[in-house]
Each structure stands twice: as C-alpha cells, then as structure tokens.
C-alpha cells in the first residue's frame, strides 16, 4: 500500500527552550529531523515526503545529510503559524485525490516500521487510523492547583503519530476546521470534529515526541537501543 507523508517541521520548539528549531538538535551526531526523514525515506511504500518548513530555515533543510534517493522524495512547502496550518499547506500540495496520507511529527524520530505496518494494515478498512499507547500515569484534571476530577485511566490513551487518512477525509476536515476557526492539537481531532470515525492501533512507548530538554536524554538512550 503506497502512501505520501506530511512531516510538519516548521515549529519553533519553545518548550525545548533551545532558541532555535528543536528539529536541528543532534541526537548522536544526527539532527532529529534527519532521523525522522530516514525512516520514511527508506520505506519503499512512501512515494513522497511533504515537508512544511519555515522559509528562513530552507538552507538548513537543503543541507541535511541524506542520500539522493531520499532527497528526491522530498517536496518542501511553506509552513504555517500553527502546526495545523503547516499540515494544511502540505495537503494543499497533493494533487492525487486518491492518495493515502500519513501525517507524522518531525519531532518523533523513533517511529518503527511495525507501527507503520499496523496503521497501513487497518487503512485497508478505515478512512482514519491513528496509533496510541495506554496511559501509565493516573490523569487528573487540575484547575488552580486543585484537583477537580480523576479520569478513569482504563479509557485513556496517549496519542502519537503517524496518523493516516484518506486524502478526501483529511482535506474535508481541514477545510471545515479552518473555515470554522477550530484548532486541534492533532489531525485526528479535526476528523473526529468533522464527524468521521477514527480507528486506533497500538503505538510504541519509544515513539516519543522530543519536546523538552529531559526528552533529549531519553532520545539518546532509545537511539542507542535501536541503531547503536
Ligand atoms: O510543538 P510540537 O512538538 O507539538 O510540534 C509538532 C510538530 O509540528 C513539530 O515537528 C513541529 O516542527 C511542527 N510544527 C509546524 N508548524 C508549526 C508548529 C509546529 O510544522 N507552526
């Protein structure tokens, strides 16, 4: 099953506090985004990688150390001020309306082929499939440092990317959300909001989104385990 992947990479990474795009941070000598691009670049089923980036960072992305067969798969598009806008710009560049589209955070370099396989396999029967892991912690809703609710953990999942959609399903959700001013923190939330069903498969606890400085330590450990 062939697919295209949109990898939003135009964030500023303010929670990392690095003062520059966190995707440029190196894990064992490789920028985070380079590791992410290799996973999809090396997957033969991936026919195109659409990369929304900030225009001002174009030079960095052009000089990534990637083999030519991966570079040839990459289409650069303009990033937006929000992640959602970056993904929408990526979708806008797709001309084949029969495409299967994956969306994957540039900051998740440890996605495995097993996770991608599980998602693609379910996409044979669904129009939207995401991966997630059961929550380990107890989750409470807190307002002004006071607990207002403890949510039943057995129904809670931590959602990751990749998330897969038929092009038509994702485009309609993005178009309607943009018109209505609805902003979601992932693409599936737009699809849910638009009334479509979203199917869940098991993700991987190592498929972390490198977000804060503490994550860099975990990222190096995971990297060593996977590729060391
Ligand atoms: O900030 P966060 O880690 O949640 O962002 C997830 C992904 O979305 C990152 O890969 C980031 O580069 C991307 N992003 C984007 N455009 C934005 C904000 C975030 O492409 N305006």
């Amino acid at each position: 099953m062939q697919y295209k992947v949109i990898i939003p990479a135009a964030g500023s990474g303010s929670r990392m506090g690095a003062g520059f795009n966190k995707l440029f941070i190196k894990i064992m000598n490789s920028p985070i985004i380079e590791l992410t691009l290799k996973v999809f670049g090396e997957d033969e089923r991936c026919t195109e990688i659409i990369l929304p980036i900030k225009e001002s960072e174009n030079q960095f992305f052009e000089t990534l150390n990637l083999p030519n067969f991966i570079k040839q798969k990459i289409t650069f598009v303009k990033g937006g001020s929000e992640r959602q806008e970056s993904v929408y710009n990526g979708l806008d560049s797709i001309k084949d309306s029969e495409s299967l589209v994956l969306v994957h955070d540039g900051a998740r370099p440890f996605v495995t082929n097993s996770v991608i396989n599980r998602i693609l396999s379910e996409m044979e029967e669904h129009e939207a499939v995401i991966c997630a892991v059961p929550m380990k912690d107890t989750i409470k809703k807190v307002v002004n440092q006071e607990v207002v609710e403890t949510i039943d953990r057995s129904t809670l999942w931590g959602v990751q990317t990749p998330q897969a959609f038929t092009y038509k399903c994702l485009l309609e959700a993005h178009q309607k959300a943009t018109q209505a001013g609805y902003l979601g923190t992932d693409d599936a939330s737009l699809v849910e909001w638009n009334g479509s069903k979203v199917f869940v498969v098991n993700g991987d606890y190592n498929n972390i989104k490198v977000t804060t400085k503490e994550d860099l330590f975990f990222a190096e450990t995971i990297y060593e385990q996977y590729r060391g």
Side-chain angles (χ1 to χ4, degrees), residues 7-15 21-23 32-33 36 51-54 57 61 78-87 104-108 161 185 209-211:
I7 303 183
S12 53
S14 50
R15 285 176 288 176
N21 189 338
K22 67 179 173 183
L23 301 182
I32 292 172
I33 189 65
T36 309
L51 203 57
I53 60 167
K54 283 188 200 142
E57 294 174 348
F61 285 97
K78 199 167 167 282
S81 56
E82 301 284 345
R83 179 192 182 281
Q84 186 169 318
E85 197 186 330
S86 294
V87 174
H104 184 69
D105 290 323
R108 288 187 195 269
T161 67
T185 49
K209 183 168 69 165
V210 184
T211 305

Side-chain angles (χ1 to χ4, degrees), residues 2 40 42 67 71 84-85 116 119 152 165 180 216 218:
Q2 293 194 325
F40 292 96
E42 287 168 2
K71 283 188 175 171
Q84 186 169 318
E85 197 186 330
I116 298 171
I119 290 172
D152 176 12
F165 310 91
L216 293 173
F218 296 119

Side-chain angles (χ1 to χ4, degrees), residues 84-108:
Q84 186 169 318
E85 197 186 330
S86 294
V87 174
Y88 195 13
N89 290 352
L91 258 180
D92 211 32
S93 78
I94 297 177
K95 300 293 166 245
D96 178 4
S97 63
E98 297 305 313
S99 298
L100 192 165
V101 182
L102 265 60
V103 182
H104 184 69
D105 290 323
R108 288 187 195 269

Side-chain angles (χ1 to χ4, degrees), residues 16 20-36 38 60 64 106-111 206-228:
M16 180 62 73
F20 54 88
N21 189 338
K22 67 179 173 183
L23 301 182
F24 304 168
I25 294 173
K26 290 184 176 173
I27 296 172
M28 304 290 190
N29 291 327
S30 298
I32 292 172
I33 189 65
E34 207 173 275
L35 299 174
T36 309
K38 276 186 182 159
F60 169 84
L64 285 174
R108 288 187 195 269
F110 305 117
V111 56
N206 284 341
N207 181 21
I208 62 167
K209 183 168 69 165
V210 184
T211 305
T212 61
K213 282 210 162 71
E214 297 75 34
D215 294 332
L216 293 173
F217 169 77
F218 296 119
E220 292 200 351
T221 309
I222 296 168
Y223 183 83
E224 274 177 356
Q225 185 185 326
Y226 272 53
R227 313 183 195 211

Side-chain angles (χ1 to χ4, degrees), residues 5-159:
V5 63
I6 300 171
I7 303 183
S12 53
S14 50
R15 285 176 288 176
M16 180 62 73
F20 54 88
N21 189 338
K22 67 179 173 183
L23 301 182
F24 304 168
I25 294 173
K26 290 184 176 173
I27 296 172
M28 304 290 190
N29 291 327
S30 298
I32 292 172
I33 189 65
E34 207 173 275
L35 299 174
T36 309
L37 288 168
K38 276 186 182 159
V39 177
F40 292 96
E42 287 168 2
D43 184 355
E44 284 179 3
R45 297 164 300 186
C46 175
T47 56
E48 186 180 5
I49 299 173
I50 299 155
L51 203 57
I53 60 167
K54 283 188 200 142
E55 270 170 348
S56 58
E57 294 174 348
N58 188 47
Q59 208 178 354
F60 169 84
F61 285 97
E62 293 280 4
T63 54
L64 285 174
N65 184 19
L66 293 166
N68 272 340
F69 76 93
I70 295 184
K71 283 188 175 171
Q72 281 159 7
K73 282 190 186 182
I74 300 176
T75 304
F76 290 104
V77 299
K78 199 167 167 282
S81 56
E82 301 284 345
R83 179 192 182 281
Q84 186 169 318
E85 197 186 330
S86 294
V87 174
Y88 195 13
N89 290 352
L91 258 180
D92 211 32
S93 78
I94 297 177
K95 300 293 166 245
D96 178 4
S97 63
E98 297 305 313
S99 298
L100 192 165
V101 182
L102 265 60
V103 182
H104 184 69
D105 290 323
R108 288 187 195 269
F110 305 117
V111 56
T112 59
N113 282 326
S114 307
V115 171
I116 298 171
N117 292 346
R118 282 199 283 277
I119 290 172
L120 292 181
S121 158
E122 289 302 333
M123 276 305 284
E124 291 184 10
E125 292 184 27
H126 304 276
E127 59 176 2
V129 177
I130 63 174
C131 58
V133 286
M135 291 306 297
K136 295 181 188 174
D137 294 324
T138 296
I139 306 291
K140 293 183 192 286
K141 187 171 176 185
V142 178
V143 177
N144 295 332
Q145 284 187 281
E146 197 178 314
V147 174
V148 290
E149 189 183 354
T150 298
I151 302 157
D152 176 12
R153 189 174 56 193
S154 67
T155 63
L156 294 178
W157 290 65
V159 171

